[in-house]
Amino acid sequence: MRVGIGFDIHRLIASQESAGIPLGGIRVPCQWEVQAHSDGDVLLHALTDACFGALSLGDIGEWFPDSDATNRNRRSTEFVKVALSQLAKRGFRVSQLDSIVYLEKPKLGSYREAIRASLAGLLELEPCRIGVKAKTMEGLGPIGEAKAIAAHVIITVEPNSDDQTHQ
Ligand code: C5P
Ligand code: MG
């Protein structure tokens, strides 16, 4: 078994017309929007890095440089899919995920199951293997002032039982 860890943070800006914050592949309605080069899904970006990290394959910025115009406004689910295909190529799959989203508002409780289901679909895992937790920063710092959203993801990665090509 191997483990991978990922972190990401994005700036939030107040917006009357916000379509919501992208989080784990769903949209959480709120009065902010994320400022980002891609769609700015911190949970999926942290997951992408966790996947690359688990097999020491570098990081999201190396695989998808923000200097590359083709990455502009790219859906973060694509980043995850590329990372997963790199794991699969080496005979590995994600077997568990736990995460923390750092967000002052809104409360994520009512979106947790939708986020877990979305991550479960992406990772082809049962939702009981996916943890999604949320924390405020108690008003402290940029996240506490609702100027940013961040996420930590940790995953375990195991050899595919039907594929012995792992290194
Ligand atoms: O940050 P704090 O410890 O006050 O959070 C208490 C609880 O509120 C968390 O354990 C979580 O269940 C919930 N929470 C949430 N959405 C957030 C922040 C916290 O659902 N954005
Ligand atoms: Mg607390």
Side-chain angles (χ1 to χ4, degrees), residues 62-74:
E62 287 182 88
W63 282 84
F64 311 105
D66 57 12
S67 53
D68 183 343
T70 59
N71 292 326
R72 189 172 293 276
N73 298 324
R74 204 157 159 195

Side-chain angles (χ1 to χ4, degrees), residues 12 18-23 26-30 32-34 40 103 105-106 149:
L12 292 176
S18 172
I21 302 174
L23 203 53
I26 70 155
R27 286 211 166 254
V28 173
C30 67
W32 291 274
E33 61 187 53
V34 175
L103 179 65
K105 289 183 230 170
I149 178 172

